[in-house]
Amino acid sequence: IHPGNHYEGNTNLWWKGMVKFRLGFPRQPGDVLEKTVPQSLISPVGLGLEQPVTFFLANKNVRHIFMSTWSPHLLRVSTYRNRSILETYARNSIIGRFSNYPGYYATGFTDLTYGANYPYKGPDINSIYYHHISPHLAFTLDFLFTEAIQRSAGQINFPWGKQEGFVWFNNRVFGGGKGTVFGDSLVRPWLAKGLVKIDTPQVNYISGISNDRFWVVLMNESKTGKNFDLTLDTLKTGIKTIGIKAYKGALAEPGELSLTGGKLNVSLAGKALSAYSFPLINSVISQDLPLVKNGLQATNLGASWGTLYTFRIRSPFGWDSIYAYLNTYPLTGATAELTLNGTTSAGKRTAYPFEWTFLHIDPLAPVNLKLDLKNAAGETSQFVVNFDGPNN
């Protein structure tokens, strides 16, 4: 690949503000090097396509895409239909394809998109679409949870909601409710960075916490067995180092395990799943928050300004957010500022679109929003929106 230390890919420059920009451009000598890699590493087999015409663009070897949002759906179909070939198709589209957001098009044969720093460093040779990053994460996590549900044969399950982004980007999103892991029906997914470390890239995991246990579910993606160290941050997780139980079937394995230096040595058969529960030092009693009522308010602001739409959004993470916007068209010389509870400003907007976001709001606290408007003539007006307490 990269013959003669050269690789072009996509080169169209996009607009970033008032200038044209593409990460890693202008290209620098030596930003790609000629090398030999296994054919399987760069094979397009398993990747999808956007539309037929993308295969007939000039000077492009390959026009498959990495946006395989259908892969977890196909994995579920393989379970319902008991057809292993469908599982193979699903796995080929996602397993081992990237270690960070890889961009969109697979334009030719390159390994640049495998680099963990690719979306930060570039060069962007296949279109790093920033609005694709969140749906790409969504289908990756959907596949991860679906695989755990599939391999556990009913011993693991989590509730989900469906997110529908744009075009065909729709997937299940997990984390909004308590699921079941080997009989523990109070497990909430907890995937914070640094909680769990595994010293082989061929084993995937999901982690969660219930009232009295921290859970790690391990999945070997290799056909061969793996022996590796599982390392946990005992401080962040709040776990005991003794009394650990292993699950490979419906019931816990005989005996109990213990951590040594925060590590547990694990042997996992090819394509196998196992789970480990770690007792918590202190019980965690989760608070069930009430549902949001009247979470959308529409305030008529009068001529030219239109309507202020205000949303109070309750997340599964213990905090609320506020999103607000004006549905007005661009107004020359106008300013609008939104303030939360009289102290926190989300900023003054001087151009379209007029929109604001507040994060990490106490879900049980009342919210007072003040909107200050000034038109091009210098005339001012003020509007107030209230969300009054825990049963909003």
Side-chain angles (χ1 to χ4, degrees), residues 10-30:
N10 282 357
T11 58
N12 183 65
L13 296 180
W14 310 109
W15 287 99
K16 184 177 182 181
M18 300 302 293
V19 299
K20 285 195 169 183
F21 172 82
R22 194 180 187 101
L23 184 64
F25 281 63
R27 296 286 295 276
Q28 302 297 316

Side-chain angles (χ1 to χ4, degrees), residues 47-100:
L47 295 181
L49 68 154
E50 183 179 55
Q51 54 184 322
V53 71
T54 58
F55 280 102
F56 301 97
L57 298 178
N59 302 321
K60 303 297 180 187
N61 293 329
V62 184
R63 291 291 288 189
H64 291 85
I65 59 170
F66 291 111
M67 201 72 185
S68 303
T69 62
W70 45 267
S71 56
H73 302 309
L74 192 56
L75 187 62
R76 286 186 281 269
V77 172
S78 75
T79 302
Y80 302 144
R81 299 292 297 166
N82 194 29
R83 294 188 64 194
S84 60
I85 187 64
L86 300 180
E87 179 182 354
T88 299
Y89 292 156
R91 289 175 56 83
N92 283 350
S93 72
I94 187 171
I95 296 295
R97 288 291 183 183
F98 46 86
S99 55
N100 203 328

